[in-house]
Short mmCIF file of all heavy atoms in Angstrom, two decimals:
data_model
loop_
_atom_site.label_atom_id
_atom_site.label_comp_id
_atom_site.label_asym_id
_atom_site.label_seq_id
_atom_site.Cartn_x
_atom_site.Cartn_y
_atom_site.Cartn_z
N PRO K 155 -33.03 -213.72 -5.22
CA PRO K 155 -33.50 -213.08 -6.46
C PRO K 155 -34.23 -214.04 -7.38
O PRO K 155 -34.93 -213.62 -8.30
CB PRO K 155 -32.21 -212.57 -7.10
CG PRO K 155 -31.14 -213.44 -6.53
CD PRO K 155 -31.57 -213.74 -5.13
N LEU K 156 -34.09 -215.35 -7.12
CA LEU K 156 -34.75 -216.36 -7.96
C LEU K 156 -35.91 -217.03 -7.23
O LEU K 156 -36.35 -218.11 -7.61
CB LEU K 156 -33.74 -217.43 -8.39
CG LEU K 156 -32.51 -216.94 -9.15
CD1 LEU K 156 -31.62 -218.12 -9.53
CD2 LEU K 156 -32.90 -216.14 -10.38
N ALA K 157 -36.43 -216.37 -6.20
CA ALA K 157 -37.47 -216.97 -5.36
C ALA K 157 -38.72 -217.34 -6.16
O ALA K 157 -39.43 -218.29 -5.81
CB ALA K 157 -37.84 -216.02 -4.22
N SER K 158 -38.99 -216.62 -7.23
CA SER K 158 -40.21 -216.87 -8.01
C SER K 158 -40.07 -218.04 -8.97
O SER K 158 -41.05 -218.47 -9.58
CB SER K 158 -40.59 -215.61 -8.80
OG SER K 158 -39.57 -215.28 -9.73
N LEU K 159 -38.87 -218.59 -9.12
CA LEU K 159 -38.63 -219.66 -10.08
C LEU K 159 -38.81 -221.04 -9.45
O LEU K 159 -38.51 -221.24 -8.27
CB LEU K 159 -37.21 -219.56 -10.66
CG LEU K 159 -36.82 -218.25 -11.33
CD1 LEU K 159 -35.45 -218.41 -11.99
CD2 LEU K 159 -37.85 -217.80 -12.35
N THR K 160 -39.26 -221.98 -10.25
CA THR K 160 -39.33 -223.37 -9.81
C THR K 160 -37.93 -223.97 -9.85
O THR K 160 -36.99 -223.37 -10.40
CB THR K 160 -40.25 -224.19 -10.73
OG1 THR K 160 -39.66 -224.25 -12.04
CG2 THR K 160 -41.63 -223.55 -10.83
N ASP K 161 -37.77 -225.16 -9.29
CA ASP K 161 -36.47 -225.81 -9.31
C ASP K 161 -35.98 -226.03 -10.74
O ASP K 161 -34.80 -225.84 -11.04
CB ASP K 161 -36.53 -227.15 -8.57
CG ASP K 161 -36.67 -226.99 -7.07
OD1 ASP K 161 -36.39 -225.87 -6.57
OD2 ASP K 161 -37.07 -227.96 -6.39
N ARG K 162 -36.89 -226.46 -11.62
CA ARG K 162 -36.49 -226.68 -13.01
C ARG K 162 -36.10 -225.38 -13.69
O ARG K 162 -35.12 -225.32 -14.44
CB ARG K 162 -37.64 -227.35 -13.79
CG ARG K 162 -37.34 -227.55 -15.26
CD ARG K 162 -36.10 -228.40 -15.47
NE ARG K 162 -36.36 -229.80 -15.17
CZ ARG K 162 -35.42 -230.74 -15.07
NH1 ARG K 162 -34.14 -230.39 -15.22
NH2 ARG K 162 -35.73 -231.99 -14.81
N GLU K 163 -36.85 -224.32 -13.41
CA GLU K 163 -36.52 -223.02 -13.99
C GLU K 163 -35.18 -222.51 -13.47
O GLU K 163 -34.43 -221.86 -14.21
CB GLU K 163 -37.63 -222.02 -13.69
CG GLU K 163 -38.92 -222.29 -14.47
CD GLU K 163 -40.10 -221.48 -13.99
OE1 GLU K 163 -40.00 -220.87 -12.90
OE2 GLU K 163 -41.14 -221.47 -14.68
N ARG K 164 -34.86 -222.82 -12.23
CA ARG K 164 -33.55 -222.44 -11.69
C ARG K 164 -32.43 -223.13 -12.46
O ARG K 164 -31.38 -222.54 -12.72
CB ARG K 164 -33.45 -222.79 -10.20
CG ARG K 164 -34.24 -221.86 -9.28
CD ARG K 164 -34.29 -222.41 -7.87
NE ARG K 164 -34.97 -221.49 -6.96
CZ ARG K 164 -34.33 -220.62 -6.18
NH1 ARG K 164 -33.01 -220.56 -6.19
NH2 ARG K 164 -35.00 -219.81 -5.39
N PHE K 167 -32.15 -221.40 -15.71
CA PHE K 167 -31.55 -220.09 -15.51
C PHE K 167 -30.04 -220.19 -15.36
O PHE K 167 -29.30 -219.32 -15.85
CB PHE K 167 -32.14 -219.41 -14.26
CG PHE K 167 -31.56 -218.04 -14.00
CD1 PHE K 167 -32.09 -216.92 -14.61
CD2 PHE K 167 -30.46 -217.89 -13.16
CE1 PHE K 167 -31.56 -215.67 -14.39
CE2 PHE K 167 -29.92 -216.64 -12.93
CZ PHE K 167 -30.46 -215.52 -13.54
N HIS K 196 -40.88 -218.37 -19.43
CA HIS K 196 -41.41 -218.18 -18.08
C HIS K 196 -40.42 -217.43 -17.19
O HIS K 196 -40.82 -216.56 -16.40
CB HIS K 196 -41.73 -219.55 -17.45
CG HIS K 196 -42.88 -220.25 -18.08
ND1 HIS K 196 -43.14 -221.59 -17.90
CD2 HIS K 196 -43.87 -219.79 -18.91
CE1 HIS K 196 -44.22 -221.93 -18.59
NE2 HIS K 196 -44.68 -220.86 -19.21
N ILE K 197 -39.14 -217.76 -17.32
CA ILE K 197 -38.11 -217.10 -16.51
C ILE K 197 -38.05 -215.61 -16.81
O ILE K 197 -38.04 -214.77 -15.90
CB ILE K 197 -36.74 -217.76 -16.77
CG1 ILE K 197 -36.71 -219.18 -16.19
CG2 ILE K 197 -35.61 -216.92 -16.16
CD1 ILE K 197 -35.52 -220.00 -16.64
N LYS K 200 -41.15 -213.93 -15.33
CA LYS K 200 -41.16 -213.85 -13.87
C LYS K 200 -40.14 -212.83 -13.33
O LYS K 200 -40.40 -212.16 -12.33
CB LYS K 200 -40.87 -215.23 -13.27
CG LYS K 200 -42.01 -216.22 -13.41
CD LYS K 200 -41.66 -217.55 -12.75
CE LYS K 200 -42.83 -218.53 -12.83
NZ LYS K 200 -42.52 -219.83 -12.16
N LEU K 201 -38.99 -212.74 -13.99
CA LEU K 201 -37.94 -211.84 -13.53
C LEU K 201 -38.02 -210.47 -14.19
O LEU K 201 -37.19 -209.61 -13.93
CB LEU K 201 -36.56 -212.46 -13.79
CG LEU K 201 -36.28 -213.79 -13.09
CD1 LEU K 201 -34.88 -214.29 -13.41
CD2 LEU K 201 -36.47 -213.67 -11.58
#
Side-chain angles (χ1 to χ4, degrees):
L156 303 181
S158 63
L159 304 187
T160 66
D161 289 342
R162 177 58 74 190
E163 289 168 348
R164 285 170 177 263
F167 180 86
H196 291 164
I197 291 168
K200 288 182 177 181
L201 299 181

